[in-house]
Amino acid sequence: MSLLKVATCNLNPWGVEFDNNLKNQSKKSKEAGAAIRLGPELEITAYGCEDGFPEPNTDTHSWECLKEILLGDYTDGILCSIGMPVMRKSQRYNCQALCYNRKILMIRPKIWLANDGNYRELRWFTAWKQSDGIEEFLLPPDVADALSQRSAPFSYGYIQFDDAAVAAEICEELFTPQPPHGELALNGFEVFLNASGSHHQLRKLDIRLNAIKGATVRTSGGVYMYSNQQGCDGGRLYYDGCCCVVVDGEVVAQGSQFSLQDVEVLVAQVDLDAVTSSRGSISSFQQQASCVKNVPSITAPYKLCQSFNPRILLSSPLEEIKYHSPEEEIAFGPACWIWDYLRRSGASGFLLPLSGGSDSSSCCVCACIKNASPA
């Protein structure tokens, strides 16, 4: 058995509140003994930074935060995927910085951007379309000097460790007609890292989990880690969390969906040999893998897995996945947004104007009943 302990997070970052977002870089993943830690999309700036992204200070402070993380012991012996914007040749990319042992192993830019509904990523970012080869990205001089690292690989691709292959699939890419995880699985990598900034919509969790489970069903297999932002980060959207870990189409760990915690870390223990065995038993997978186009990769001379230990229990498929009813979602979503907005704005409460119509009359009656109750 190749035992791998992984940790994924729900985080509540604030738009351009860098000190707060850096504080949320919890060491709980490392303290739990995880070999991989995944955070949400653009966690250093918060996903809802919006028109703050083009500001030069946003890029500068993002690198300062990453430098502080790498100068500490956050990444010692643990692969950390950290979301941040990166400027390259006057083009801004939505990236995941994959770091290990105080070094940046790879910067993975997003290749398909969300640009419908509430999303406007093309307003602030460029999609990475260079699918062949790996380029070297020159780190900012102060970061390079502090880390003693001049450059880092910059590309769509994966990292081949001594005992595991790991790759990122960022948020929207999971939901495209031809998601990257298909060819990545055929290239042999076992662990998918999906950093997301997915806001709450009614019954949206069903769509997410079905897509994640579908990415690792028996035909391709794999370990899929999903991390999401949670809370209101200053805009009109509420991000509902619910990080999870899925193995070969089965949910083995699920985080909370409507939480008031700023940090939630979810840990799971998985067996990569089971993924390899499952793929090896599927003839069509073997045939397609033998002729698939090679995805760029880098090698990292480190081991992530533990050897077999009978005292270590694998995370089993959940007997029941937690779904809130539509009525609960309608109640929890707006309430959590209002609470988060209130505490961040520093206000003491809300003013509720009542016009006398049916809607406001209902609110008034409910408030009177609540205030009159013994509780």
Side-chain angles (χ1 to χ4, degrees), residues 246-317:
V246 176
V247 180
D248 291 345
E250 299 283 352
V251 180
V252 300
Q254 179 186 11
S256 60
Q257 185 177 9
F258 298 101
S259 173
L260 299 181
Q261 299 181 64
D262 284 341
V263 180
E264 180 180 0
V265 177
L266 189 69
V267 179
Q269 186 87 50
V270 300
D271 179 17
L272 295 190
D273 282 351
V275 174
T276 303
S277 177
S278 175
R279 290 174 174 175
S281 65
I282 304 170
S283 176
S284 59
F285 182 92
Q286 298 290 302
Q287 294 177 57
Q288 291 188 0
S290 68
C291 58
V292 70
K293 175 185 176 182
N294 288 331
V295 173
S297 66
I298 66 166
T299 58
Y302 308 107
K303 292 184 178 180
L304 299 179
C305 297
Q306 307 173 53
S307 57
F308 173 71
N309 186 335
R311 293 177 295 179
I312 297 178
L313 298 178
L314 294 177
S315 298
S316 302

Side-chain angles (χ1 to χ4, degrees), residues 95-96 98 106-112 127-135 153-159 166-170 173 178-187 189 192 292-298:
C95 297
Q96 289 298 120
L98 301 170
M106 172 183 277
I107 299 175
R108 189 340 193 140
K110 195 172 183 179
I111 59 177
W112 301 112
W128 178 256
K129 298 302 181 184
Q130 309 299 322
S131 59
D132 297 326
I134 294 178
E135 299 188 10
F154 189 100
S155 179
Y156 158 68
Y158 67 96
I159 303 175
V166 181
E169 181 174 63
I170 306 173
E173 295 170 359
Q178 292 183 317
H181 63 253
E183 68 172 354
L184 289 168
L186 290 171
N187 270 267
F189 95 98
F192 306 78
V292 70
K293 175 185 176 182
N294 288 331
V295 173
S297 66
I298 66 166

Side-chain angles (χ1 to χ4, degrees), residues 1 34 40 43 48-51 76-77 87 108 130 200 227 233 241 246 299 316 327 356 370-371:
M1 300 176 73
E43 62 180 292
C49 189
E50 298 184 351
D51 284 348
D76 289 356
M87 287 290 291
R108 189 340 193 140
Q130 309 299 322
H200 171 250
S227 174
D233 68 355
V246 176
T299 58
S316 302
E327 293 80 7
K370 174 66 176 176
N371 291 332

Side-chain angles (χ1 to χ4, degrees), residues 48-264:
C49 189
E50 298 184 351
D51 284 348
F53 285 119
E55 295 294 330
N57 283 345
T58 301
D59 183 70
T60 301
H61 293 321
S62 295
W63 280 109
E64 288 174 349
C65 289
L66 184 63
K67 179 177 70 174
E68 186 168 341
I69 291 171
L70 292 174
L71 289 177
D73 61 356
Y74 290 84
T75 65
D76 289 356
I78 179 172
L79 175 67
C80 293
S81 179
I82 301 169
M84 61 181 287
V86 175
M87 287 290 291
R88 175 190 170 276
K89 297 181 179 179
S90 300
Q91 299 163 347
R92 184 179 302 100
Y93 294 94
N94 178 346
C95 297
Q96 289 298 120
L98 301 170
C99 308
Y100 190 89
N101 279 357
R102 311 191 186 199
K103 300 293 182 183
I104 303 173
L105 298 184
M106 172 183 277
I107 299 175
R108 189 340 193 140
K110 195 172 183 179
I111 59 177
W112 301 112
L113 301 179
N115 207 59
D116 48 23
N118 286 299
Y119 297 103
R120 294 291 180 270
E121 288 184 17
L122 284 174
R123 180 183 175 104
W124 306 295
F125 298 106
T126 300
W128 178 256
K129 298 302 181 184
Q130 309 299 322
S131 59
D132 297 326
I134 294 178
E135 299 188 10
E136 285 296 313
F137 174 83
L138 293 179
L139 301 179
D142 59 321
V143 177
D145 293 341
L147 304 181
S148 299
Q149 180 180 358
R150 181 173 180 272
S151 64
F154 189 100
S155 179
Y156 158 68
Y158 67 96
I159 303 175
Q160 179 64 62
F161 289 86
D162 288 347
D163 51 6
V166 181
E169 181 174 63
I170 306 173
C171 198
E172 175 69 11
E173 295 170 359
L174 170 64
F175 302 98
T176 57
Q178 292 183 317
H181 63 253
E183 68 172 354
L184 289 168
L186 290 171
N187 270 267
F189 95 98
E190 299 97 350
V191 184
F192 306 78
L193 308 179
N194 190 312
S196 282
S198 182
H199 71 284
H200 171 250
Q201 286 181 332
L202 193 63
R203 313 316 289 163
K204 191 176 181 182
L205 180 60
D206 304 59
I207 299 173
R208 285 192 212 128
L209 285 181
N210 286 337
I212 294 170
K213 290 189 291 182
T216 60
V217 292
R218 184 176 178 273
T219 52
S220 60
V223 176
Y224 206 103
M225 299 169 58
Y226 176 84
S227 174
N228 194 20
Q229 186 171 315
Q230 67 183 15
C232 157
D233 68 355
R236 58 195 176 91
L237 302 180
Y238 176 75
Y239 301 88
D240 58 335
C242 204
C243 58
C244 65
V245 179
V246 176
V247 180
D248 291 345
E250 299 283 352
V251 180
V252 300
Q254 179 186 11
S256 60
Q257 185 177 9
F258 298 101
S259 173
L260 299 181
Q261 299 181 64
D262 284 341
V263 180
E264 180 180 0

